[in-house]
Amino acid sequence: MYPSNEKIEVNVPKKNPFSMSPDPQLFYFSGQHVACLQTLESSIRLRSGLSVVLGDVGTGKTTVGRILMRLFQDKPDYIFRLILDPQFVDELEFLAHLSRLFEIKTKAQSVLEYKEALQSFLYFKGVNEKKIPVLIIDEGQKLNEPMMEIIRSLLNYETNESKLIQVVILAQMEFADKVRSMPNFMDRIAAAYVLQPFNEEELFHMIGHRLKRSGYEDMYRVFTKSALKQIYAYSHGFPRKAINLCHQAYLAKISEQLGIIDEDVLTRNMRRKEVSHV
Ligand SMILES: Nc1ncnc2c1ncn2[C@@H]1O[C@H](COP(=O)(O)OP(=O)(O)O)[C@@H](O)[C@H]1O
Ligand SMILES: [Mg+2]
C-alpha cells in the first residue's frame, strides 16, 4: 500500500537531496511514519472523527499531512482541506474561514448562522452525497479554546454510524497539555500518534533514501560513516536538524568541489552555522 523505500525509479533527475520542503518523493517510509499514516488512514476510513499527531519541531508532522492527502488524492469521495496556520481573531473568523475552505455558499453573519450552515453542509455531503470531508489542521498547538470548542461542535454532527467530518490535528507536544485541560475535547480523540526522533539506523536510512532519490546510489560515496555518526549525534535523530546539517555540508561539497564529506567538513559547517546563527 505504501511505496517501498527500495523501489527507486531509474533515471531519476538529480535534485537537491536535502531540500527542506515536505517533498513526498524524498520521504523515507520509516516504521513509525508508516504506523502513523496507517493510524490516520484507518481513522478517516472508519469515519471515527478526530485524530491527533503530536511531535516535537521537525519530526515530520507537516510532511505526514501532505502524504496523507496524497494517499487519498484519487478517491473522489473524500474532500480534503488543509489549514496551515490556525490563528483566527475570533470564532466568527474561524467559522467564516471553514465555510470558504469547503466552498459553502452562505449568507451567514453570526456564529450561530455559520454553525447552522456548516451543519447543513455536512449533513448534505455525508448523507445525500456520501462524501467525507476531512479537515487537516497543522500547527495545532496554535488553536485556542474557542477554536477547539468549534471543532468539538463539528464533531457532534453524526449519523448513527459515523461522524460527518474527519479532523486531523498535527501539533507540537505542548498541545497535549491544552487537550488535557479540556476533557470534553479529549474525549473526542479517536486516534493519536506521537512522532519520535529517529534512532541512528533510521536516520542513516533516511539520508540514504534521500540521496538515492537524487541519483546517489551509495551514500558512503557522499558521507563517511563517522560524518554520518556525527550528524546523528548533533541532530539527536530529528529529521529537520539532520537534513539542515546535511544540506550545509552538501552545499560546501558542491561549491568547494570536495570529495566525500568527512567529519572536518561537517564540523566546519556546524561552526559556520553557529557563527551566523542560522
Ligand atoms: N520520514 C522522513 N523522510 C524524509 N524526510 C523527512 C522525514 N520526516 C521528516 N522529514 C523532513 O524533515 C523536515 C521536517 O519535517 P516537517 O514535516 O516539516 O516536520 P514538523 O512539521 O514536525 O516540524 C522536512 O524537511 C521533512 O521533509
Ligand atoms: Mg510542521
Side-chain angles (χ1 to χ4, degrees):
M1 175 173 35
Y2 296 95
S4 154
N5 294 313
E6 300 312 318
K7 221 174 118 200
I8 311 295
E9 299 103 63
V10 278
N11 300 330
V12 234
K14 282 219 174 181
K15 53 155 118 188
N16 175 5
F18 303 114
S19 151
M20 288 304 281
S21 55
D23 180 351
Q25 277 266 317
L26 294 177
F27 191 74
Y28 165 61
F29 284 82
S30 72
Q32 66 155 354
H33 284 110
V34 168
C36 178
L37 283 162
Q38 279 171 341
T39 304
L40 297 176
E41 197 187 342
S42 53
S43 176
I44 291 170
R45 282 184 191 280
L46 297 171
R47 284 181 273 169
S48 331
L50 176 61
S51 311
V52 175
V53 176
L54 295 175
D56 283 321
V57 177
T59 44
K61 302 179 296 295
T62 299
T63 318
V64 159
R66 296 290 160 94
I67 288 172
L68 184 70
M69 288 176 85
R70 273 202 155 206
L71 287 174
F72 283 89
Q73 71 186 0
D74 54 352
K75 304 198 169 52
D77 288 348
Y78 295 86
I79 309 169
F80 271 77
R81 294 292 184 267
L82 174 66
I83 298 180
L84 284 173
D85 185 21
Q87 294 193 94
F88 301 94
V89 285
D90 54 20
E91 290 165 283
L92 198 62
E93 201 193 64
F94 183 37
L95 286 161
H97 184 82
L98 286 174
S99 300
R100 274 196 306 274
L101 209 55
F102 284 104
E103 293 148 50
I104 301 173
K105 289 184 187 67
T106 173
K107 294 196 172 72
Q109 291 197 323
S110 65
V111 166
L112 191 66
E113 284 166 357
Y114 269 117
K115 280 190 173 171
E116 280 168 2
L118 273 157
Q119 184 174 14
S120 1
F121 167 82
L122 292 178
Y123 273 97
F124 184 77
K125 286 289 157 191
V127 179
N128 298 36
E129 295 190 348
K130 310 275 180 249
K131 300 258 186 204
I132 303 151
V134 186
L135 177 65
I136 301 186
I137 303 179
D138 203 354
E139 303 290 351
Q141 72 283 351
K142 292 186 184 169
L143 287 165
N144 59 23
E145 234 179 277
M147 313 299 142
M148 287 163 74
E149 272 304 322
I150 286 176
I151 295 168
R152 197 175 71 81
S153 67
L154 295 180
L155 291 162
N156 282 343
Y157 307 145
E158 55 193 328
T159 63
N160 284 342
E161 308 99 52
S162 56
K163 305 279 179 195
L164 291 170
I165 187 166
Q166 308 308 310
V167 181
V168 177
I169 299 180
L170 313 164
Q172 288 168 24
M173 298 306 289
E174 71 232 41
F175 186 62
D177 296 332
K178 226 179 231 181
V179 170
R180 265 184 227 112
S181 70
M182 294 177 68
N184 285 343
F185 188 89
M186 193 151 111
D187 283 351
R188 297 297 147 113
I189 301 177
Y193 200 95
V194 179
L195 286 176
Q196 307 285 355
F198 287 137
N199 63 30
E200 192 180 74
E201 197 189 344
E202 289 168 327
L203 187 72
F204 292 179
H205 279 143
M206 182 198 74
I207 295 172
H209 174 75
R210 281 178 163 258
L211 284 166
K212 263 195 189 169
R213 283 282 181 187
S214 314
Y216 297 95
E217 275 304 312
D218 181 2
M219 70 171 169
Y220 294 110
R221 283 175 178 266
V222 183
F223 292 101
T224 63
K225 179 105 190 188
S226 57
L228 287 169
K229 282 196 166 289
Q230 208 179 354
I231 292 166
Y232 179 71
Y234 173 79
S235 67
H236 301 286
F238 283 91
R240 179 175 296 153
K241 241 181 161 176
I243 291 164
N244 216 336
L245 184 56
C246 290
H247 190 223
Q248 299 302 320
Y250 182 72
L251 290 181
K253 172 181 155 70
I254 290 175
S255 65
E256 297 167 33
Q257 298 184 340
L258 305 170
I260 299 181
I261 298 167
D262 58 16
E263 278 184 89
D264 280 353
V265 179
L266 270 183
T267 317
R268 206 153 24 93
N269 281 285
M270 268 155 62
R271 277 211 208 98
R272 208 181 282 167
K273 272 193 89 182
E274 275 155 24
V275 171
S276 61
H277 300 284
V278 184

